[in-house]
């Protein structure tokens, strides 16, 4: 697990645990955290692939202003996972390029 548990300046209020799915793998998250944060906490940093070269992409801005974290969420492509809260039962997948499913 790669979740930050203790920080010298920041405090983290964790809500209840929820289960979501990444590529059909069951993962735990805390209600209220973003999908990308939950994926990172579970060791997943490769969030999508570039359109032409299929290079792995991870978080870049982490504030909803780029396209590095676009993923398919519950069948909907191009969701910015760095600003979208994770929910119980959510199904998250990598996508290639601009909405193709892959990974
Ligand atoms: S990492 Fe830039 S929009 Fe999510």
């Amino acid at each position: 697990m790669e979740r930050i548990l203790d920080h010298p300046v920041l405090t983290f209020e964790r809500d209840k645990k929820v289960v979501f799915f990444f590529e059909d793998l069951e993962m735990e998250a805390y209600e209220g955290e973003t999908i990308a944060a939950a994926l990172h906490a579970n060791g997943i940093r490769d969030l999508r692939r570039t359109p032409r070269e299929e290079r792995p992409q991870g978080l870049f801005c982490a504030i909803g202003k780029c396209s590095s974290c676009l993923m398919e969420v519950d069948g909907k492509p191009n969701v910015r996972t760095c600003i979208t809260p994770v929910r119980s039962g959510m199904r998250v997948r990598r996508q290639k390029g601009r909405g193709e499913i892959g990974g």
Side-chain angles (χ1 to χ4, degrees), residues 36 47 58-70 79-83:
L47 304 180
L59 280 175
F60 182 66
C61 74
I63 56 171
K65 301 294 184 192
C66 72
S67 59
S68 283
C69 67
L70 296 180
V79 174
R80 285 189 164 84
T81 57
C82 71
I83 57 171

Side-chain angles (χ1 to χ4, degrees), residues 7 11 24-26 29 34 37 40-41 44 46 51 54 58 61 65 67-68 73-74 76-77 83 85 91 93 99-100:
H7 191 279
T11 57
D24 297 324
L25 298 172
E26 191 175 300
T34 65
H40 271 241
I44 308 296
D46 173 4
E54 298 192 20
C61 74
K65 301 294 184 192
S67 59
S68 283
V73 177
D74 291 336
K76 180 181 171 193
I83 57 171
R91 295 201 170 263
R93 294 187 173 280
E100 299 169 45

